[in-house]
């Protein structure tokens, strides 16, 4: 593999493909074994779920950093740069480290004897590379987010976790994980290993709860069910303030769903304390206050207000609609929306179109999976009178910013691919952020 530039290494990883053979952990096991099993010397908080994984992982990592630990954070997908996926103490992996480790993983992958027709996929490759990096960086703990599902997810090769965290489970990736919430929960709960400490977020659907309970019982796991009892002091577009367990906390990430994620993070902190981790209350307060997650109601501008949100399934869209109803109802709303074909777009588009004063349909710059803008517009027209088929994100953003007044809101949503593309476009326009 030519790794003379980081772009070449990233292009190589992307060329490996999303799926590379029969579901299973045999490929990642073989690859990590060839690399000396770097994951076996690390300690982890392992997260699976449908909604809130990234935000909850970010909060947990921020609290652990505030407590003085050296913390790895592994998330997916990225928004703007591939390097976002692999971080240590908040800093993205450097070009030189990515190139060097990519060459090492590629060399190991090429020597493997895999079943006929199977190869190492992009996520397997990236996960093995991340394990090497975290081991080199001597991380005290790694906050590890699954990529897809749990049972056959490459991250599930880890031998154990200090805590397994299950965020709310919903219908998503139906063609891969199953067509019911119970089936999807069964796949995600497979990260629970013998004797594990498990934190289960509040707000789990009724179909998921018995599946999670059975998985815990079968593994002899200790289950911590996150509370939803807190006292809300403030919740607006700039974040929230709340009291939990007699202690006050603030969050910069807006939305009531982020309060649920914060409670899951705090319960995870309590579970880690029970396992001997020294995490002062003051560290939890500071960590939550500084936690940020790009693409989750991220504010890019103030006049007009420009928000980016990666909600791409029914539960995520419902949470986003609650934010619109609670915090944006006094603003004229321009919704820019694009989705990919393997999501429940017929469920996700109507509620946002219904709330839009102007709806601008586009297609993410993701050739293989992008839903045509024409399809998005046709669905939106049933709910909104002012719908425009803009084709591309660049055209939609230009139209919205040209028409929106200083007190209006431009909401870009529907896909993390679109959100990442929008970040690049908005930064390229080089208009200064107000406020």
């Amino acid at each position: 593999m030519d790794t003379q530039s980081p772009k070449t290494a990233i292009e190589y990883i992307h060329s490996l493909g999303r799926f590379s053979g029969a579901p299973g952990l045999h490929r990642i096991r073989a690859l990590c074994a060839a690399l000396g099993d770097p994951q076996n010397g690390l300690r982890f908080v392992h997260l699976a779920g449908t909604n809130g994984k990234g935000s909850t992982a970010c909060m947990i990592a921020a609290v652990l950093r505030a407590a003085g630990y050296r913390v790895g954070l592994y998330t997916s997908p990225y928004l703007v740069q591939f390097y976002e996926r692999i971080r240590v103490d908040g800093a993205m992996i450097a070009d030189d480290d990515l190139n060097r480790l990519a060459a090492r993983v590629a060399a190991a992958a090429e020597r493997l004897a895999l079943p006929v027709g199977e190869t190492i996929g992009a996520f397997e490759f990236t996960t093995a590379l991340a394990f090497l990096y975290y081991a080199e960086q001597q991380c005290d703990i790694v906050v590890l987010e699954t990529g897809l599902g749990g049972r056959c997810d490459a991250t599930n090769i880890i031998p154990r976790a200090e805590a397994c965290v299950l965020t709310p489970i919903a219908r998503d990736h139906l063609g891969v994980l199953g067509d019911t919430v119970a089936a999807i929960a069964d796949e995600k709960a497979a990260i629970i290993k013998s004797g594990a400490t498990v934190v289960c977020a509040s707000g789990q659907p009724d179909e998921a709860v018995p599946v999670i309970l059975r998985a815990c019982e079968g593994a002899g796991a200790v289950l911590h069910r996150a509370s939803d009892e807190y006292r809300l002091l403030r919740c607006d577009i700039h974040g929230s303030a709340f009291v939990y367990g007699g202690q006050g906390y603030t969050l910069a990430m807006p939305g009531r769903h982020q309060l649920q994620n914060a409670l899951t993070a705090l319960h995870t902190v309590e579970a880690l304390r029970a396992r001997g981790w020294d995490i002062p209350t003051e560290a939890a307060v500071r960590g939550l206050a500084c936690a940020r997650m790009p693409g989750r109601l991220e504010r890019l501008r103030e006049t007009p207000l420009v928000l980016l949100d990666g909600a791409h399934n029914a539960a995520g869209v419902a949470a986003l609609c609650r934010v619109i109803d609670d915090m944006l109802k006094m603003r004229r709303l321009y919704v820019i929306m694009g989705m990919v074909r393997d999501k429940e777009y017929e469920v996700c588009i109507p509620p946002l179109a219904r709330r839009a004063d102007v709806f601008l349909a586009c297609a993410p710059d993701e050739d293989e999976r992008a839903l045509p803008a024409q399809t998005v517009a046709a669905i939106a027209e049933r709910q909104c009178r002012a719908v425009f088929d803009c084709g591309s994100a660049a055209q939609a953003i230009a139209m919205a910013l040209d028409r929106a007044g200083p007190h209006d809101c431009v909401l870009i949503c529907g896909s993390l691919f679109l959100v990442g593309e929008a970040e690049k476009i908005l930064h390229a326009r080089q208009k200064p952020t107000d406020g």
Side-chain angles (χ1 to χ4, degrees):
M1 182 188 70
D2 179 9
T3 57
Q4 292 303 305
S5 73
K7 182 178 178 182
T8 304
I10 292 169
E11 286 178 346
Y12 175 83
I13 293 170
H14 288 163
S15 75
L16 298 176
R18 194 165 173 234
F19 300 110
S20 54
L25 299 177
H26 54 287
R27 289 180 300 273
I28 185 68
R29 288 192 196 283
L31 181 57
C32 284
L35 295 167
D37 282 322
Q39 75 282 359
N40 289 351
L42 294 165
R43 293 190 285 183
F44 298 93
V45 173
H46 199 189
L47 295 95
T50 305
N51 294 301
K53 287 199 308 293
S55 296
T56 305
C58 176
M59 292 175 190
I60 294 169
V63 170
L64 288 167
R65 285 178 58 200
Y69 292 106
R70 187 161 177 77
V71 182
L73 176 61
Y74 186 62
T75 58
S76 62
Y78 65 90
L79 289 182
V80 178
Q81 303 180 74
F82 179 89
Y83 315 104
E84 297 168 23
R85 298 179 62 176
I86 304 171
R87 298 175 183 258
V88 172
D89 285 349
M92 294 183 286
I93 186 171
D95 295 348
D96 290 346
D97 290 321
L98 179 68
N99 292 335
R100 175 177 53 81
L101 293 175
R104 184 176 167 188
V105 176
E110 289 166 4
R111 294 193 298 267
L112 297 179
L114 297 176
V116 175
E118 294 195 7
T119 58
I120 295 297
F123 188 73
E124 293 163 330
F125 189 103
T126 305
T127 301
L129 188 155
F131 288 152
L132 281 176
Y133 183 63
Y134 297 136
E136 282 189 355
Q137 292 292 309
Q138 299 181 318
C139 290
D140 297 310
I141 192 165
V142 175
V143 182
L144 186 71
E145 180 189 348
T146 56
L148 177 63
R151 185 184 311 280
C152 297
D153 189 84
T155 63
N156 205 26
I157 190 181
I158 65 172
R160 70 196 69 83
E162 295 296 297
C164 298
V165 182
L166 294 172
T167 65
I169 293 167
R171 287 163 57 86
D172 201 3
H173 299 291
L174 303 183
V176 180
L177 301 180
D179 58 3
T180 67
V181 169
I184 295 169
D186 188 56
E187 290 296 312
K188 294 181 184 291
I191 69 167
I192 299 171
K193 296 178 173 64
S194 179
T197 295
V198 179
V199 177
C200 181
S202 65
Q204 292 288 359
D206 292 341
E207 301 153 82
V209 173
V211 176
I212 295 168
L213 292 175
R214 282 197 301 271
C216 289
E217 290 169 5
V222 178
L223 177 62
H224 298 252
R225 299 187 70 170
S227 170
D228 57 3
E229 295 182 5
Y230 63 91
R231 182 159 58 90
L232 183 63
L233 303 178
R234 172 179 62 83
C235 186
D236 56 33
I237 201 63
H238 299 286
S240 305
F242 67 100
V243 176
Y244 169 71
Q247 175 64 52
Y249 297 91
T250 59
L251 277 177
M253 292 189 277
R256 287 182 179 267
H257 57 292
Q258 294 294 3
L259 290 165
Q260 181 185 62
N261 294 333
L263 292 176
T264 304
L266 289 173
H267 274 267
T268 304
V269 167
E270 291 170 4
L272 291 171
R273 287 182 184 133
R275 293 181 63 89
W277 292 82
D278 182 14
I279 309 172
T281 299
E282 183 267 341
V285 172
R286 284 194 294 117
L288 286 187
C290 70
R292 302 286 191 282
M293 190 66 184
R296 274 67 168 185
L297 278 172
E298 181 183 6
R299 296 195 313 279
L300 249 62
R301 301 188 183 181
E302 298 293 339
T303 53
L305 179 63
V306 177
L307 299 175
L308 307 182
D309 193 86
H312 55 265
N313 57 43
V317 167
L320 178 56
C321 287
R322 286 194 293 273
V323 172
I324 294 171
D325 295 342
D326 291 346
M327 303 176 192
L328 301 174
K329 58 188 175 185
M330 299 304 292
R331 296 176 184 257
R332 182 171 174 80
L333 182 63
Y334 292 77
V335 172
I336 298 174
M337 192 168 188
M339 298 194 70
V340 291
R341 287 192 302 268
D342 58 0
K343 302 299 180 183
E344 293 184 295
Y345 55 86
E346 292 185 345
V347 175
C348 294
I349 296 169
L352 286 163
R354 193 158 51 245
R355 289 165 169 80
D357 294 289
V358 180
F359 188 101
L360 302 99
C362 62
D365 187 16
E366 172 68 12
D367 294 341
E368 292 183 3
R369 299 165 58 201
L371 185 69
Q374 183 179 8
T375 304
V376 177
I379 296 171
E381 283 171 352
R382 305 169 196 161
Q383 305 291 334
C384 179
R385 291 184 178 181
V387 175
F388 297 89
D389 177 354
C390 296
S392 70
Q395 290 176 313
I397 290 169
M399 180 182 288
L401 293 181
D402 182 59
R403 295 182 174 216
H407 301 294
D408 296 341
C409 176
V410 176
L411 171 64
I412 304 170
C413 60
S415 168
L416 286 170
F417 294 113
L418 175 63
V419 166
E421 186 181 352
E423 284 222 2
K424 294 177 186 176
I425 293 167
L426 287 161
H427 286 305
R429 289 174 67 96
Q430 297 180 337
K431 286 187 177 179
T433 300
D434 231 57

